[in-house]
Amino acid sequence: MNSSSKLTRPEAMIFDMDGTLFQTESVLLPAYHKLFDTLRSEGLYTSPTPPEERMLGSLGMLLEDIWKVVMPDGSPEAHNRANELLLQLELEGLAGGETLLYPEVKETLETLHRQDVKLYVASNGLEHYISGIVDTHELSTLFSGLYSAGKNGTLTKVDLVKLLLEQEQVKSAWMVGDRSSDVEAGQKNGLSVIGCAYAGFGNHDELKGSDVLISSFSDLLKLYEESGS
């Protein structure tokens, strides 16, 4: 854990989902390969499946932008069908019960919840994907709200977090995430940013500008305990 400044104790914490709470690859990679097999079988894509790294490196982006990176040679029809298939296949994967949170996520969230910290999700993912993860891993009673680009129609994480703060009337919060979009969302909304350095999906500059970097999710408890009023 790398602390660069004294943090003020927040009334709320706002979490990204993929690469922060949820081990995305546990559901994404099987779905990813099935998705491209289906696109080829339907005649919508003829090239080999793009490298997994291209998909993992795009996490945190809006879905419509992800496909521009992952399959820039794909048609709009292929991109639209990929949207449908990814959600369908990921929900099937979640129902299969073999997906994973990062270590100590549930226990840490439970502890923060008992300490009356309001917990929220702010993700650029689809609404049913986010709620599916929360329901599958029995986290629903811990969160005060789930905000997603898919549900709220926001174009950036900055706008999504701004909407959350306004609707929930949150005065102070930490933004907790693993991508540059999370750092930007926290900074532009006047929040302290906790960068999660354990997922490894982004490049080494991804979390530049975070107030603190953590190497395990449970580090949040120590940060909260040591934060000032």
Side-chain angles (χ1 to χ4, degrees):
M1 183 167 60
N2 174 29
S3 178
S4 59
S5 62
K6 183 65 174 175
L7 296 169
T8 300
R9 181 164 295 186
E11 66 173 285
M13 293 190 193
I14 303 170
F15 299 95
D16 176 48
M17 178 60 80
D18 290 326
T20 300
L21 303 178
F22 184 60
Q23 293 193 40
T24 315
E25 65 274 28
S26 66
V27 71
L28 175 62
L29 295 184
Y32 181 73
H33 290 283
K34 290 178 184 176
L35 182 154
F36 278 96
D37 289 344
T38 302
L39 288 180
R40 282 190 290 267
S41 72
E42 294 178 354
L44 290 172
Y45 194 70
T46 57
S47 301
T49 300
E52 294 176 351
E53 292 74 20
R54 198 180 293 178
M55 185 68 178
L56 293 173
S58 302
L59 293 178
M61 298 169 63
L62 294 171
L63 199 55
E64 61 190 54
D65 295 325
I66 286 178
W67 299 125
K68 294 174 185 176
V69 173
V70 171
M71 52 169 166
D73 54 337
S75 65
E77 291 78 15
H79 289 186
N80 290 335
R81 180 62 172 143
N83 285 342
E84 297 172 358
L85 286 169
L86 187 63
L87 178 60
Q88 173 192 326
L89 293 167
E90 286 182 327
L91 291 177
E92 289 175 3
L94 285 166
E98 297 182 359
T99 61
L100 299 169
L101 301 173
Y102 284 100
E104 300 182 272
V105 162
K106 189 171 185 180
E107 296 84 351
T108 299
L109 293 176
E110 287 172 341
T111 300
L112 291 168
H113 183 70
R114 285 195 298 270
Q115 294 176 334
D116 295 323
V117 182
K118 296 177 184 176
L119 308 176
Y120 298 93
V121 169
S123 169
N124 275 337
L126 297 172
E127 176 185 3
H128 294 299
Y129 170 69
I130 300 305
S131 61
I133 294 170
V134 170
D135 291 342
T136 296
H137 292 279
E138 300 179 341
L139 303 175
S140 58
T141 60
L142 303 178
F143 287 107
S144 297
L146 305 177
Y147 284 71
S148 64
K151 178 180 180 180
N152 298 103
T154 49
L155 297 178
T156 68
K157 182 68 75 73
V158 173
D159 292 339
L160 184 64
V161 171
K162 180 181 179 182
L163 178 69
L164 186 161
L165 295 171
E166 291 174 349
Q167 290 193 352
E168 303 292 336
Q169 298 185 320
V170 171
K171 303 302 181 187
S172 64
W174 291 354
M175 181 69 218
V176 184
D178 71 309
R179 304 310 299 264
S180 58
S181 56
D182 301 310
V183 178
E184 181 186 30
Q187 289 179 332
K188 291 192 174 180
N189 284 289
L191 310 179
S192 295
V193 178
I194 313 301
C196 300
Y198 45 79
F201 293 142
N203 60 47
H204 65 282
D205 290 328
E206 195 78 32
L207 294 172
K208 186 176 181 179
S210 299
D211 294 286
V212 180
L213 295 179
I214 59 175
S215 56
S216 65
F217 192 78
S218 60
D219 287 343
L220 276 175
L221 295 177
K222 185 176 181 182
L223 286 178
Y224 183 74
E225 291 167 4
E226 294 179 350
S227 60
S229 57

